[in-house]
Amino acid sequence: MGRALLENEHELQQTEKTIDSKYVQQHLANERTYLAWIRTSLAIVGLGFLAYGVLFPSTSRFVQVITDIIGIGSVLFGGSIIAFATWDYVKKRKGINNETFRSPVSGIYLVSTSLVFITMVLMMVVTIMLLAPN
């Protein structure tokens, strides 16, 4: 047992350090951010399915068209967030290793603006449904 531990320790000492190991905390933070983006995109896709199929079943053709657009748009938007998050993760990883990391601002503004727009459209649809005569 003791010999096996010594052999494992010896192997660890002989292992060459990588660039990634130099910036472990930054890489772990990058991975947490990536996973947060993935959770956000899954929530948006889920809300799109909810709006499309369950939340707004309506006999009004106008409301049905709007919910169709919201549902399909949310799925597409969630998919694009996954693509953006993956691209951003790889870009940040390279930036961390090359010591040239810069915090992105434009992507945050794009996603935030899109979410505000989707929220406003959903609020309009709910208002129209509530004010429409049965």
Side-chain angles (χ1 to χ4, degrees), residues 20-32:
D20 287 351
S21 64
K22 185 176 178 182
Y23 305 105
V24 171
Q25 288 184 325
Q26 288 83 358
H27 286 295
L28 292 174
N30 190 23
E31 289 176 12
R32 286 189 299 272

Side-chain angles (χ1 to χ4, degrees), residues 36-52 70-82 110-112 114-116 118-119 122:
W37 279 113
I38 297 299
R39 285 189 301 270
T40 301
S41 67
L42 291 175
I44 291 170
V45 169
L47 287 174
F49 278 114
L50 186 67
Y52 181 73
I70 291 170
I72 293 168
S74 294
V75 171
L76 293 174
F77 185 55
S80 65
I81 288 177
I82 291 173
L110 174 68
V111 171
S112 298
S114 300
L115 286 173
V116 167
I118 290 170
T119 302
L122 282 172

Side-chain angles (χ1 to χ4, degrees), residues 86-106:
T86 303
W87 172 79
D88 193 49
Y89 170 79
V90 171
K91 181 180 169 192
K92 285 180 184 176
R93 186 174 187 275
K94 289 177 184 176
I96 290 168
N97 285 337
N98 296 333
E99 297 181 2
T100 58
F101 174 77
R102 290 191 182 263
S103 182
V105 177
S106 59

